[in-house]
Amino acid sequence: MPDNDTAAGRAETTLNDKVRSFLPSMGLPEERRGRNRGSQLTDAERELYRRILSTFASGNVPSREAVMVAAENSEQSGDKALRRMVEIDLIQVSDDGAIMCAYPFSATPTGHDVVLDDGTLLHAMCAVDALGIPAMLHRSCHISTSDPLNGAQIRLYVDASGQVNADPPGAVVVSAVASGTGPLSSLCCPLLNTFESRATAEEFLSRHPELSSVILSLADASTWGAAVFGGVLG
């Protein structure tokens, strides 16, 4: 009989190998994952970045004015800090400087609704980001989204450890990357979606052969979300 612990260890190693190989292809090197996320910032800038994330996590959108005040209180340039966060694609801002997203959070609805265990409604940038929010916040949540191919409603429950229960149970995640250059918010986020089944995911991808893509189980997608966002806020 196989050694269950050994088999589990092999499965974990295989998944970790997939994480290491796939995330760089999405523009996510080691310094932009987990506790290392934001490590290119100065200490003051990183604290401001975490403040932005915490504001989103509370169900509010951080205003530029509030960020500027917080930056001034920590004796740094808010404009410079935000430019640096945009440059390394931690956040994105609108033409008038409003903060539109700080991955995994969006300032506007995206079709990936995340409701925390206390009822707080958040908008995730994509399916994987939604699954990464419980790991970032150490909270359980419900995720509501829909299949891009047929509009079927999909509901997920994710506990704080990342375990996922799905309705329908055969739901999967398509992770795809468009060609070109630009932030992940334009190249990847619109293409990282949950499908009600592998069949609809495969049908969608057959209609878009130009995409570089992979179909993920919900367990894998949750693990990858945790690899990117777990530990960012401690």
Side-chain angles (χ1 to χ4, degrees), residues 99-123:
I99 298 172
M100 298 306 297
C101 76
Y103 312 97
F105 307 111
S106 171
T108 58
T110 59
H112 306 283
D113 291 343
V114 178
V115 179
L116 299 181
D117 48 20
D118 65 355
T120 301
L121 172 64
L122 309 174
H123 305 298

Side-chain angles (χ1 to χ4, degrees), residues 7-157:
R10 284 197 300 267
E12 182 176 357
T13 298
T14 299
L15 182 55
N16 286 338
D17 286 344
K18 288 195 292 184
V19 169
R20 284 192 291 270
S21 65
F22 184 71
L23 292 179
S25 74
M26 296 178 63
L28 290 171
E30 192 68 35
E31 64 268 17
R32 292 178 59 194
R33 300 180 223 163
R35 295 185 186 278
N36 292 328
R37 195 169 176 84
S39 59
Q40 307 100 310
L41 303 173
T42 67
D43 288 346
E45 289 169 346
R46 198 172 189 185
E47 183 59 33
L48 192 64
Y49 167 55
R50 287 172 173 155
R51 177 186 286 265
I52 290 170
L53 290 175
S54 295
T55 301
F56 270 116
S58 71
N60 298 295
V61 177
S63 69
R64 185 178 182 86
E65 293 75 15
V67 171
M68 292 299 113
V69 170
E72 183 178 345
N73 290 341
S74 59
E75 300 182 344
Q76 63 176 313
S77 166
D79 286 325
K80 180 180 177 182
L82 290 179
R83 282 196 302 271
R84 181 60 176 151
M85 293 177 208
V86 170
E87 178 185 326
I88 57 180
D89 201 17
L90 295 174
I91 71 169
Q92 288 300 318
V93 300
S94 65
D95 290 341
D96 63 1
I99 298 172
M100 298 306 297
C101 76
Y103 312 97
F105 307 111
S106 171
T108 58
T110 59
H112 306 283
D113 291 343
V114 178
V115 179
L116 299 181
D117 48 20
D118 65 355
T120 301
L121 172 64
L122 309 174
H123 305 298
M125 288 295 290
C126 68
V128 171
D129 285 14
L131 290 165
I133 286 174
M136 173 184 274
L137 303 182
H138 309 288
R139 304 272 295 276
S140 61
C141 72
H142 287 87
I143 299 171
S144 298
T145 187
S146 59
D147 188 314
L149 187 71
N150 59 19
Q153 293 300 300
I154 301 166
R155 292 177 174 80
L156 312 176
Y157 172 74

Side-chain angles (χ1 to χ4, degrees), residues 176-191:
V177 183
S179 61
T181 60
L184 295 179
S185 57
S186 60
L187 292 181
C188 298
C189 290
L191 301 172

